[in-house]
Amino acid sequence: MKQTYKICVYMQAINPATYVLGAAFTLSLAVGFFVFQQFFAAGTGLHRFFAQIPVVSIFILPAFSSIIPCGGSSLPQKDSEITVARMLAGMSFLVVFLVLTLPVPLYASSFMQTEPSLVLTAYTGVLLYLTLALAICLLFTTLFEHQWASFLASSLFLAVTTGIKLKALSFAWHFDAFSKGILDSREIIFFLAFTALALWLSCYAMDKKRGCIKPHYRLSLLPLTLILLLADSAFFYFRIDTTKTKRFTLSTYTAELLSELEEPLVITYYRSKRIARNYPQAKDIKEFLSLYAQKSRLVFFSEKDAEAVSPSISLDSMGIAGQKMQTDSTAPDSAGLLYSGIAIEYLGNTQTVPFILGTDTLEFDVASRIQSLVRSNGQDTNRMVQIAVGNGLSLSSDYRYVIPWLESQGFTAFESHLPSDKDVFPAESLFSLHQDIPLILLGSSECTWEDAEALASFLSQGGNAVIATTPYTVDLQNEWTVTEGRYLPYGDAVTTLLRDYGIMFKSTITAEGAGRNLTLALAKEDNATEYVDYSLWPVLSVQRGASDGLPLFWPAAIDTDSNTAAAAGISIAPYLTTSAEAWQEKPVSGSFITNPFFVQKTAPAPAASESAPYTVAVSISRAKSGQTPHISSIIIGDQYATTTSMIAYASASRGAPDTRSLTFLSDSLFMISGQEALLELRNAQTERPQNLRNAQDVYSFAKKALVVSTVLPVCILLALYLSVRQKRKRFLTRSSL
């Protein structure tokens, strides 16, 4: 077999088609990922890179297998030796091709925070797939005499198994676990078993051509063994979570929650059949939820078909929400209302995860519900939140995403009102009467001294709050005119009150050159647009209080006075800061310039020395008697980030729904409620964008990544071919002498 292997490798090495196909393989993956999937624009994860490999392989692998010679088919060698030698020779070159794709994940990991273990596990899955696919292609080259026939048959087979019609046999389904960093023995056995079957069939076909057929019972022995192996793997298997943060393993925090159970806790996963058939993520959800039952004998887990639920039970009334989804990209009418939600019951109380189709935040979603049920008997006031709007805007329209978002994160949210509105709204709706419920105050320009004093009392008595405000307001509906607060020089009653705590807002707008790009229509030309870098909408980098970064809109920087804070019995610390390129935009002739076409794009020359990191949010820590100080309130100098219109602007420029401001709001609530452990679960994601400061940086980085990942592999393959050709030429010259 060794001699046959050498012959196969040699014949491939001197064939120019080998290098052409290798270049086509690497170029297709790099261009497809960076260009067609718009990695740098859409921020897609590396799983998209690996998921496109079977698509690229549909035509390349059949063509590649057709140039692998039979080696010693005319020699008196065993058919198994010939088949294995051809397989090993082909895989030797495929491994080289895979190595040449490494620049893609290397550059992607420089742009996204990607774990090496995840990349290694994904490449393991890719190698298993290529082994199976090559074995199938070699089978067809054995079955058919003509290369064109084997090419067509192989391509058709790979296209069918890669497509959406046969999910149980598709690469996407069985590779999904590898792309997440999970080594699943069932998937490994699937690839290895069918590879062995394809090689066995190749040996059988070769034997038949030679006229040497073994007894029937011996021929059926291997297939029967493989069938039993696949059947056993469904019951006896292992799953190894290779991710650094163990995203697919129950955390210590969850284990502590389960140890506090005194009565049975029931977890039910309601999912539609089409969800289970078309989305491999549903399998991971089921696998992860089953870990809870394995961890505690008081946890009972079951999976139920949403369409088979008793008519007397309404999933919508339970809080399980259906989503209209399309399950077949080739059939426009395949869209339907599908369910994938979780119900958690304990002591007669129920918490739900309305809809989930992935495991990125699964443990956070489940753990937060279990915490609410177990530690507070279903009446956890820390999971309740009251929202008061103090800038004259409407919670139902101007901030209409706030309550739905908080409820999706497991909070019970309701609107409260300012004490100065006691004659308009019922007394029980005033925030000052709900001391034990965290408060979100959005804006404060309409707050009176009565409201400010009520807020001071709320905070001094141990109330927790997230206050989003600035000493000025912006007219969102018209020309973005900035109006200073009624109580000069400090803004309004609330911003003036906060000075008593050592929190002082600057009377300027914080700007940054790496602001958000706006797409503005030009009135002079039809359908013409212009892209403007709007410095008054800076985007914060990833940091402790902003796990995904945070877009801000006309933010106000904050100065602090530790002595004043200490006198008030609190301590203040910066919570969010800008980059070092930020500056303060001052009013001109008594007003701010907010027009995107005229606003400064960089720090003005005289003020260049003022470019520095500025604090735009602070945290207040207050120690209760006998307890360690913890963050009790967060003040952020931006009251518009969570408005409906600004979220729309952020989403439009990002090309996808931008919920980072809403995430900051819910994360802040967990922080002030002393639930940092839940935040660790919430933020345990492996892929996050590194903060390239502006669009030019992204373009430059993307251009370099594309050039290196395409030119370098081609150059290496060309150098290999020239080297082999030169050695062969020397060998032939010596042989002729």
Side-chain angles (χ1 to χ4, degrees):
M1 184 179 72
K2 183 177 180 181
Q3 185 63 27
T4 305
Y5 169 76
K6 288 182 177 180
I7 293 174
C8 292
V9 170
Y10 174 75
M11 295 300 291
Q12 286 179 274
I14 63 175
N15 193 337
T18 300
Y19 304 93
V20 172
L21 291 172
F25 182 78
T26 55
L27 288 175
S28 299
L29 292 177
V31 174
F33 183 61
F34 286 138
V35 178
F36 293 105
Q37 297 194 31
Q38 299 181 335
F39 170 74
F40 293 102
T44 55
L46 268 178
H47 64 280
R48 294 269 184 101
F49 166 71
F50 294 108
Q52 68 181 350
I53 289 179
V55 178
V56 172
S57 302
I58 289 176
F59 296 108
I60 292 181
L61 277 186
F64 177 75
S65 64
S66 65
I67 64 175
I68 301 177
C70 291
S73 58
S74 61
L75 300 176
Q77 293 179 308
K78 294 181 180 180
D79 55 308
S80 58
E81 292 182 358
I82 297 174
T83 301
V84 173
R86 295 182 69 202
M87 182 72 187
L88 292 177
M91 286 306 301
S92 298
F93 282 90
L94 288 181
V95 169
V96 173
F97 298 163
L98 278 182
V99 171
L100 294 178
T101 66
L102 283 175
V104 176
L106 288 176
Y107 270 98
S109 63
S110 299
F111 188 74
M112 305 284 291
Q113 295 179 7
T114 304
E115 297 178 11
S117 61
L118 188 149
V119 176
L120 181 61
T121 305
Y123 266 111
T124 301
V126 169
L127 194 61
L128 288 171
Y129 166 75
L130 291 179
T131 303
L132 172 57
L134 181 61
I136 292 171
C137 293
L138 291 177
L139 170 61
F140 284 111
T141 61
T142 305
L143 292 175
F144 296 96
E145 295 291 341
H146 302 287
Q147 290 186 356
W148 63 266
S150 64
F151 175 83
L152 290 178
S154 301
S155 298
L156 179 61
F157 185 89
L158 292 180
V160 170
T161 55
T162 302
I164 62 175
K165 295 298 182 182
L166 297 175
K167 288 294 181 181
L169 298 177
S170 72
F171 171 78
W173 184 272
H174 291 281
F175 175 72
D176 190 70
F178 291 103
S179 68
K180 295 182 174 71
I182 301 173
L183 284 176
D184 193 321
S185 63
R186 291 167 296 183
E187 312 302 354
I188 296 174
I189 290 175
F190 169 85
F191 285 114
L192 294 180
F194 279 98
T195 299
L197 180 61
L199 293 176
W200 179 86
L201 290 174
S202 295
C203 294
Y204 177 79
M206 192 174 295
D207 269 342
K208 189 174 181 180
K209 286 184 177 182
R210 289 181 171 187
C212 178
I213 302 298
K214 297 180 177 62
H216 180 73
Y217 71 89
R218 293 178 61 185
L219 291 176
S220 61
L221 183 60
L222 180 61
L224 288 176
T225 303
L226 294 177
I227 291 174
L228 291 175
L229 182 63
L230 288 171
D232 287 341
S233 68
F235 299 98
F236 305 100
Y237 62 90
F238 64 82
R239 281 167 60 92
I240 300 177
D241 184 358
T242 65
T243 60
K244 182 179 180 180
T245 56
K246 300 300 179 185
R247 296 172 57 211
F248 303 97
T249 305
L250 292 182
S251 65
T252 303
Y253 179 76
T254 296
E256 292 176 358
L257 281 177
L258 297 181
S259 67
E260 298 175 17
L261 294 177
E262 298 178 353
E263 297 293 334
L265 183 141
V266 180
I267 301 176
T268 307
Y269 176 35
Y270 294 95
R271 55 97 190 101
S272 300
K273 281 186 177 180
R274 282 185 290 173
I275 286 281
R277 287 197 302 262
N278 293 276
Y279 293 90
Q281 301 95 316
K283 176 184 62 175
D284 291 319
I285 294 173
K286 176 184 176 181
E287 295 285 355
F288 192 84
L289 292 177
S290 65
L291 296 177
Y292 288 85
Q294 298 173 22
K295 194 71 174 180
S296 172
R297 61 182 179 82
L298 290 177
V299 177
F300 299 89
F301 167 69
S302 63
E303 181 186 31
K304 292 185 178 180
D305 181 5
E307 279 79 16
V309 174
S310 171
S312 61
I313 301 176
S314 172
L315 293 181
D316 291 325
S317 64
M318 291 173 55
I320 305 295
Q323 298 286 336
K324 192 171 184 180
M325 304 176 64
Q326 188 166 315
T327 56
D328 189 343
S329 59
T330 62
D333 60 347
S334 66
L337 196 63
L338 303 182
Y339 291 86
S340 180
I342 304 169
I344 306 171
E345 303 173 57
Y346 184 72
L347 294 177
N349 297 304
T350 302
Q351 293 275 348
T352 62
V353 180
F355 188 87
I356 190 166
L357 199 58
T359 55
D360 282 343
T361 61
L362 179 59
E363 186 174 10
F364 162 78
D365 291 326
V366 174
S368 62
R369 270 71 171 182
I370 293 178
Q371 182 201 61
S372 177
L373 291 169
V374 174
R375 293 185 173 173
S376 303
N377 195 23
Q379 302 296 324
D380 190 354
T381 55
N382 282 333
R383 299 311 303 278
M384 299 179 68
V385 56
Q386 54 178 328
I387 306 167
V389 179
N391 56 10
L393 299 181
S394 169
L395 182 62
S396 60
S397 58
D398 297 304
Y399 291 100
R400 65 187 177 93
Y401 295 132
V402 171
I403 287 183
W405 173 265
L406 294 177
E407 290 179 342
S408 73
Q409 301 300 302
F411 290 95
T412 300
F414 64 92
E415 183 175 10
S416 60
H417 298 94
L418 305 175
S420 60
D421 293 330
K422 58 182 177 296
D423 296 331
V424 180
F425 299 100
E428 60 270 14
S429 70
L430 306 181
F431 77 78
S432 54
L433 298 181
H434 303 283
Q435 187 67 46
D436 56 340
I437 299 177
L439 166 69
I440 295 177
L441 178 61
L442 300 173
S444 58
S445 59
E446 300 297 319
C447 292
T448 65
W449 290 113
E450 179 184 2
D451 300 324
E453 291 172 359
L455 179 62
S457 176
F458 179 88
L459 296 175
S460 63
Q461 294 180 30
N464 300 327
V466 177
I467 302 174
T469 190
T470 54
Y472 45 78
T473 58
V474 179
D475 183 1
L476 299 181
Q477 305 302 323
N478 297 300
E479 298 180 353
W480 296 347
T481 305
V482 178
T483 303
E484 294 180 308
R486 67 176 78 175
Y487 302 117
L488 297 177
Y490 306 131
D492 54 53
V494 170
T495 55
T496 302
L497 161 76
L498 291 175
R499 297 181 68 85
D500 295 336
Y501 292 87
I503 300 171
M504 297 158 288
F505 287 95
K506 290 182 177 293
S507 57
T508 53
I509 297 178
T510 303
E512 189 172 344
R516 181 165 300 281
N517 288 323
L518 294 180
T519 304
L520 301 176
L522 298 180
K524 296 181 180 180
E525 303 178 40
D526 294 335
N527 299 322
T529 58
E530 181 174 346
Y531 297 94
V532 178
D533 193 14
Y534 193 38
S535 59
L536 299 187
W537 289 359
V539 180
L540 300 186
S541 62
V542 174
Q543 48 194 290
R544 182 197 180 195
S547 57
D548 294 309
L550 182 64
L552 298 179
F553 302 87
W554 306 286
I558 300 174
D559 291 327
T560 59
D561 186 336
S562 58
N563 293 328
T564 303
I570 62 173
S571 59
I572 304 174
Y575 194 69
L576 294 177
T577 57
T578 67
S579 72
E581 287 77 30
W583 72 91
Q584 296 304 307
E585 195 70 29
K586 300 177 181 179
V588 178
S589 300
S591 62
F592 289 96
I593 298 175
T594 58
N595 189 312
F597 293 104
F598 300 110
V599 73
Q600 291 282 352
K601 303 298 186 297
T602 58
S609 60
E610 296 182 9
S611 296
Y614 287 93
T615 299
V616 291
V618 297
S619 63
I620 296 177
S621 298
R622 186 192 301 271
K624 296 182 180 179
S625 87
Q627 296 183 7
T628 304
H630 74 279
I631 295 177
S632 60
S633 296
I634 294 173
I635 317 297
I636 179 171
D638 184 343
Q639 58 182 304
Y640 300 112
T642 54
T643 59
T644 307
S645 56
M646 294 302 106
I647 290 177
Y649 272 115
S651 300
S653 61
R654 204 182 192 197
D658 193 335
T659 60
R660 289 179 291 176
S661 59
L662 298 170
T663 298
F664 167 77
L665 206 58
S666 55
D667 284 0
S668 297
L669 287 174
F670 282 113
M671 183 65 71
I672 65 177
S673 301
Q675 303 180 61
E676 293 90 341
L678 281 177
L679 273 183
E680 293 180 6
L681 297 182
R682 164 68 177 77
N683 297 324
Q685 300 179 12
T686 57
E687 295 179 333
R688 295 186 182 281
Q690 306 283 3
N691 281 281
L692 300 176
R693 294 310 307 164
N694 52 52
Q696 184 61 35
D697 289 342
V698 174
Y699 174 77
S700 176
F701 188 85
K703 183 178 178 180
K704 182 179 179 181
L706 186 60
V707 170
V708 173
S709 60
T710 55
V711 175
L712 181 62
V714 172
C715 291
I716 292 176
L717 288 172
L718 180 60
L720 286 174
Y721 173 67
L722 294 176
S723 175
V724 170
R725 184 179 178 181
Q726 184 66 23
K727 288 183 179 180
R728 183 172 182 243
K729 185 177 180 180
R730 291 175 181 174
F731 174 77
L732 293 176
T733 302
R734 289 196 302 267
S735 299
S736 62
L737 295 177

